Structures are given as C-alpha cells and as structure tokens.
C-alpha cells in the first residue's frame, strides 16, 4: 500500500499534522500534490527511473509531498541534513548526482544557491518562501495533472551517513522492480508486523526527516493510513504535551531524548497523560540500561528498541521484558541478517567474546556511492556476503547482541581495550551531568588514557568539587582502570540533531593539542 490507497477510502483524514504551525495535509491532498510532482518530474522534466533529486528541508509538509512524489516516479531522493554548512551540502548534492534541488526557504542559508555551485543540477526549486533564482514549488505544480501517472515505478531514499567518523557517504540500494502500489518498501512489512502500525496509528516524530529512521517511519505510517505528528524539533515537555493532545500511539526516540525527559521535574512529568502510547521505539544510539529501566517504570512495557543503520545490512529487536531480563542488549538477530563476531583477522569468535560485528545477508546489496574502496572495506575478507557497520560487541548464548562501542572509539590503554560507552552509560543519569563523552587521549606511557568531557548542569558549572564527585560516582560501577584520569567541562558537545555524538571532532581536537 501507499498513500494513494487511502486518498480514496479516507480522503479527509490527516496524513501529517505539524503542530508548531497548525498545518496539516490530508490523504487526498498528499495524493494530489505528490501526483502533480510526479508528472512534473517525469512528463515535463523527463526524469527517468534511477535519477536522483536532492532536498534540503526542515520538518515541513512539503518535504513529505516531495518524498512521495519522488518515490512514485522511480527516483532516488537524497534528503540532506539542513544543519550542514553550504560547502558540506554542496558536496552531497554533487556526489549524489542530483538533477533537481528542492530547498526550504527556512534553511536556505545552509545551501549555496548559485548555479555555479551545482553545475549538474538542472532545476532548482524553493518552497516555504521565495528564493532568488529558484523556481516556486507551488507554481510549478499548478496546471499539472492531478490523477496518478500511468507508470509509477517504486523509488527509494538515497541517504548519507551522519559523518560521525568521517566524510558522509551515500548509501545507495538497488531499486525494487514493480509499481509503487504493487511492491512494498523494505520497511512497512517488517515494522507493521513488529510494532502493529495500522490505519489507527498516531505516530509522533520528534526528529528531523533527513535522518533515515524518521523519514522511513513516516513513510511506513503513511503506507498503512495512519497519522504523523511532525514536531519541528524536540522539546521534552512539548513532546509529552503532544502525546496527550493527539493520543499518540507510536513514537520514536533516541536515548538522549529519554534522558532529557527523565530529568524534567517530577511534577512536569506527572502532568501529562501518556497512557495512549502502545509502542515507544528507540534507536540511533545505545541506550544506557538504567535509562531504559526508568522509562519502562514511567511509561510501562511499551519501550522497544531496534539496532540497525542507514546501510540496512542487519537488524535486531528487543522489547521491554527482554530488555529488563538482559540489560544492555539491543536484541536478537535473525529477522534480517545473521550476526557474526570476528577478531581483527576476520576469525569468528566464540559466544561472549568481544569483536567486530558482521552481518550475513543472502539477499539485497548496497554500496557507498562513488566510493568502491569504502564499500569494499566493510565486507568480510573471506565472506563476501558479510558486512559491518563498524560496531563492536558480543553475542550471548541465546544470540542476544550487546554493543560495546564503535570500533573507531575503542580506547587502547596499556594494551587493554576500554569501551567508552560503558563509562558514558554510568554517567548518563548523574544529576550534575547534562551530556558526556569519554575518549582516549595520547599518553606516552600507556598509549592512551581515559578522559571525560562533560557538559555540567547549569547550577553546578562553577562547583570546584564537581570533577571529583563525577569520578567518585563511577567507583563500584566500572573497574578502576576504566575510570577517567581527568575531566574537562565544556558548554556543549557536538551531536547531530538525531542525538548521535560526533566523537571524532572531540578526539581530533585533543590529538591536535597533543601534537601541538
């Protein structure tokens, strides 16, 4: 199914509501506008299946229209992070081979709009306001046919990694064969089955649509006829208010959002009724076990986690009961991809031993666009159908997977591997810690030593004893050799708007200081 199905059965039902502006788009409107865009792209502009369009947008209704217009035209759609610099977004626009560029006026400062910046782009379009030199989105749709095109091959998103460990890479999958109303996407059958998405679902999206999970989950909800509550940006109390107002049944979060909601005053948290929630799904980053336990105590056994990545080479799932029984696990493999834990030479390790996580898939493939070397680097040296996100972890005897960290962030101190995530988890709910990153910094004797970088709570920022208190709170929770040897306090840490810590920037800063 896709939104056009529900334009006939429930034409006036909201497909997406944007509470910040009061706007909404019904299924009839979504069908009409996305069909008009499909006619523009294929009939007037001559785009062919497999071509690419790029979109730089905040969380707008137009973003949803453009998404479906591209997907029903057999195109790739590259949704670009609107927090990037103009230089960074230009790189992606060029790298993905976009033939058209759609830009929200609200975030246009993050895009170089000169024709010389993107010579391969044939059409540049603005929405949400006029931009010099760009065509008007609404004006272009006027006069286009409103009926569905005769040919509607299914397209796919073409998303770029967040770049937390290097320059973003485009993840391009092979397009499915068939019409959009005949061939489902890769996600709707899986997530509808696991999380009971259907036409009665009200899904709250607090994260930006350029990220894989929010964009794809909104696609799932519209594919089954539910309603998306699209937040402009995450705010902990506003998120709770919207759950109560719209009787939200499904939602998706990252662990930092859980932490911020848990740190609200008790009176604030108790003010809002969240009992309509049946599935609160989280992903994107590991959730500290104590954070998850407290969320389950608060919201009930509705907390679900899945572990995957934009590349989609493997996935695990875990529900509330399993999470309480196996603290720290991200779930069991087998539904999509079989996990293998391997050492540095690629040898498979026994149960319980930590190594690089590889995913075995017998169907489907992906590549990093324009980078065969990067693509080759993620595949196992002996098994061509095993590939890795670059994460490190282990399996228990029941094949539940536990993450220890990204391979790139493992600290090697005195020849011993130390995984920062364990230390960060232990500090996540400390009342004086707003945010924390643990890194390894160069040390002449040990190779690296463990170091913490902390954003302190505002009322503790000038407390001279805070570092000692923070380090003392770790004793008895992590081994002594894992306790940081120092703490630096900063105003903020570099995180993507989806909550991922861009640890590379922090580590590079300390390496540069050491080299200097």
């Amino acid at each position: 199914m896709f939104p056009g199905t529900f334009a006939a059965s429930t034409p006036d039902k909201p497909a997406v509501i944007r509470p910040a502006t009061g706007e909404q788009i019904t299924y009839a409107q979504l069908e009409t506008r996305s069909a008009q865009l499909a006619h523009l792209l294929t009939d007037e502009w001559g785009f062919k299946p497999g071509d690419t369009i790029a979109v730089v947008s905040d969380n707008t209704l137009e973003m949803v229209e453009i998404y479906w217009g591209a997907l029903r035209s057999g195109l790739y759609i590259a949704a670009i992070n609107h927090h990037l610099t103009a230089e960074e977004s230009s790189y992606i626009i060029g790298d993905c081979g976009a033939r058209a560029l759609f830009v929200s006026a609200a975030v246009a400062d993050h895009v170089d709009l000169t024709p010389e910046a993107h010579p391969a782009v044939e059409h540049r379009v603005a929405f949400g306001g006029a931009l010099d030199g760009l065509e008007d989105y609404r004006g272009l749709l006027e006069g286009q046919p409103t009926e569905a095109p005769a040919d509607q091959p299914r397209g796919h998103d073409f998303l770029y990694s967040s770049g937390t460990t290097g320059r973003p890479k485009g993840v391009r999958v092979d397009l499915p064969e068939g019409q959009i109303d005949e061939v489902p996407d890769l996600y709707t059958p899986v997530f509808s089955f696991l999380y009971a998405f259907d036409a009665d679902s009200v899904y709250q999206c607090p994260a930006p649509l350029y990220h894989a999970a929010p964009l794809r989950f909104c696609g799932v909800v519209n594919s089954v006829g539910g309603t998306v509550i699209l937040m402009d940006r995450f705010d902990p109390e506003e998120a709770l208010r919207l759950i109560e107002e719209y009787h939200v049944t499904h939602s998706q979060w990252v662990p930092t959002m859980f932490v911020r909601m848990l740190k609200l005053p008790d009176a604030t948290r108790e003010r809002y009724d969240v009992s309509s929630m049946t599935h609160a799904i989280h992903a994107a980053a590991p959730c500290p076990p104590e954070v998850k336990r407290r969320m389950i105590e608060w919201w009930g056994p509705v907390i679900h986690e899945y572990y995957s990545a934009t590349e989609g080479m493997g996935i695990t799932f875990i529900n509330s009961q399993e999470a309480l029984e196996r603290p720290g696990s991200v779930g069991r493999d087998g539904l999509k991809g079989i996990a293998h834990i391997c050492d540095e030479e690629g040898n498979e390790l026994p149960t319980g031993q930590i190594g690089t996580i590889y995913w075995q898939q017998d169907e489907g493939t992906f590549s990093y666009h324009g980078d065969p070397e990067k693509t080759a680097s993620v595949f196992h040296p002996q098994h061509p159908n095993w590939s890795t996100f670059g994460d490190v972890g282990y399996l228990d005897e029941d094949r539940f997977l536990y993450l220890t960290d990204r391979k790139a962030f493992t600290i090697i101190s005195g020849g011993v591997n130390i995984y920062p995530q364990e230390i960060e988890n232990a500090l996540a709910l400390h009342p004086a810690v707003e945010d924390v990153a643990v890194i390894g910094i160069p040390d002449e004797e040990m190779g690296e030593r463990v170091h913490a970088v902390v954003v302190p709570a505002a009322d503790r920022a000038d407390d001279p004893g805070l570092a000692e208190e923070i380090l003392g709170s770790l004793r008895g929770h992590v081994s002594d050799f894992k306790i940081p040897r120092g703490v630096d306090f900063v105003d903020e840490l570099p995180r993507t708007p989806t909550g991922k810590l861009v640890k590379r920037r922090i580590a590079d800063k300390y390496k540069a200081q050491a080299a200097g």
Side-chain angles (χ1 to χ4, degrees):
M1 293 185 289
F2 84 116
T5 307
F6 303 99
S9 59
T10 54
D12 297 327
K13 182 178 182 177
V16 185
I17 298 172
R18 187 182 179 190
T21 62
E23 301 171 282
Q24 68 175 33
I25 183 170
T26 66
Y27 273 98
Q29 291 169 327
L30 180 56
E31 165 65 12
T32 296
R33 293 171 190 173
S34 63
Q36 288 180 305
L37 179 57
H39 283 291
L40 175 73
L41 292 167
T42 58
D43 299 345
E44 189 166 324
W45 290 356
F47 287 11
K48 304 297 183 186
D51 287 340
T52 301
I53 67 170
V55 186
V56 184
S57 178
D58 44 348
N59 280 7
T60 64
L61 301 185
E62 290 90 348
M63 175 68 190
V64 180
E65 298 171 16
I66 295 167
Y67 173 78
W68 282 110
L71 258 58
R72 67 193 299 176
S73 303
L75 304 183
Y76 287 104
I77 176 170
I80 299 174
N81 182 344
H82 63 77
H83 294 88
L84 298 178
T85 66
E87 180 181 352
E88 290 168 329
S89 61
S90 290
Y91 163 75
I92 295 177
I93 293 165
D95 187 70
C96 74
R99 292 187 62 184
L101 171 63
F102 295 78
V103 181
S104 168
V107 296
D109 289 346
H110 296 264
V111 189
D112 188 338
L113 297 178
T114 61
E116 298 78 15
H118 318 113
V121 172
E122 302 164 32
H123 302 276
R124 299 179 305 141
V125 182
F127 57 89
L131 295 172
D132 290 342
L134 273 67
E135 299 176 89
D136 175 61
Y137 173 71
R138 293 292 176 209
L140 288 170
L141 295 191
E142 289 181 6
Q144 295 293 333
T146 58
E147 67 272 7
D151 186 31
Q152 298 189 96
R154 180 174 282 279
H156 202 278
D157 58 52
F158 182 1
L159 304 179
Y160 277 68
S161 65
S162 59
T164 56
T165 57
R167 198 162 197 178
K169 297 297 180 185
V171 179
R172 184 178 173 116
V173 302
D174 294 337
L175 289 177
E177 295 184 6
Q179 298 289 294
I180 193 167
D181 58 348
E182 298 172 347
V183 179
D185 60 68
L186 299 175
Y187 314 103
T188 299
V190 174
F191 289 113
S192 295
F193 169 73
L194 286 168
Y195 301 139
F197 280 109
D198 59 23
D200 294 325
S201 298
V202 180
Y203 165 70
Q204 182 161 306
C205 178
L209 291 181
Y210 58 74
H211 186 62
L215 182 63
R216 291 169 180 172
F217 266 69
C218 287
V220 168
V221 175
N222 287 155
S223 293
V224 299
T227 297
V228 173
I229 308 302
L230 186 62
M231 296 182 69
D232 278 24
R233 62 190 57 82
F234 173 72
D235 175 84
E237 184 172 357
E238 177 67 1
L240 297 175
R241 189 189 70 79
L242 292 176
I243 292 171
E244 179 179 76
E245 178 179 350
Y246 290 99
H247 305 287
V248 169
T249 61
H250 293 68
S251 56
Q252 189 173 32
W253 315 89
V254 296
T256 53
M257 295 176 181
F258 284 166
V259 171
R260 289 184 61 188
M261 289 189 288
L262 285 168
K263 288 187 174 181
L264 289 170
D266 289 346
T268 302
R269 292 198 287 121
E270 294 167 2
R271 185 178 304 148
Y272 300 100
D273 181 1
V274 297
S275 62
S276 60
M277 191 84 64
T278 62
H279 295 79
I281 305 154
H282 73 90
C287 186
E290 179 63 13
V291 171
K292 181 175 286 191
R293 184 188 66 78
R294 289 182 57 181
M295 285 301 301
I296 294 170
E297 287 180 351
W298 178 16
W299 286 6
V302 302
I303 307 296
H304 297 260
E305 179 177 8
Y306 70 90
Y307 161 66
S308 188
T310 304
E311 292 86 342
M313 57 186 73
I315 193 166
T316 63
F317 302 91
I318 192 166
N319 61 31
S320 292
Q321 180 179 344
E322 292 168 333
L324 293 175
E325 293 170 351
R326 294 174 167 85
S329 175
V330 295
R332 185 184 287 165
D333 68 345
L335 184 62
K336 182 183 180 184
I338 302 298
H340 299 273
I341 311 300
C342 300
D343 63 17
E344 293 293 332
E345 286 72 43
N347 302 308
E348 194 158 6
L349 294 169
T351 297
Q353 289 196 24
I354 294 172
T356 301
I357 304 165
Y358 282 89
W359 292 95
Q360 175 186 339
Q361 283 199 95
D362 296 325
E363 296 181 359
T365 184
F366 80 94
S367 62
Y368 292 109
H369 181 62
D371 197 336
E373 185 176 336
K374 170 69 173 176
T375 301
S377 72
V378 304
F379 286 90
H380 192 279
Q382 285 86 45
H383 300 281
N385 61 333
W386 295 13
S387 52
T388 180
F389 303 145
D391 287 341
V392 175
Y394 64 93
L395 289 165
D396 69 14
E397 63 279 2
D398 295 317
R399 299 203 62 81
F400 279 83
L401 181 66
Y402 296 75
L403 304 181
T404 52
D405 221 310
R406 296 282 294 178
K407 186 174 182 180
F409 301 146
T410 301
I411 301 167
I412 304 176
S413 183
V416 176
N417 286 358
I418 298 173
Y419 302 104
Q421 180 187 309
E422 177 187 5
I423 308 163
E424 293 163 353
N425 287 351
L427 290 173
L429 286 174
H430 190 290
V433 175
E434 288 294 324
D435 203 359
V436 59
V438 174
I439 60 170
I441 62 176
D443 184 271
E444 289 186 4
E445 179 183 357
M446 303 297 288
E448 290 183 301
R449 68 178 181 273
V450 185
H451 193 80
V453 185
V454 172
V455 178
D459 60 348
R460 300 292 303 278
D462 298 323
D463 187 338
L466 183 56
E468 183 177 349
E469 177 186 328
I470 289 172
L471 296 180
S473 71
L474 292 172
R475 293 186 175 91
H477 296 282
V478 301
S479 301
D480 286 350
F481 71 89
K482 299 176 184 178
I483 295 177
R485 298 299 182 257
V487 180
D488 284 339
F489 294 103
V490 297
D491 292 333
E492 64 178 354
L493 293 175
R495 284 190 180 271
T496 70
T498 55
K500 287 187 177 180
L501 184 65
V502 191
K503 197 175 287 187
R504 172 181 52 83
R505 294 185 192 172
I506 306 169
D508 286 350
K509 174 183 175 182
Y510 281 87
K511 288 178 182 177
Q513 290 175 350

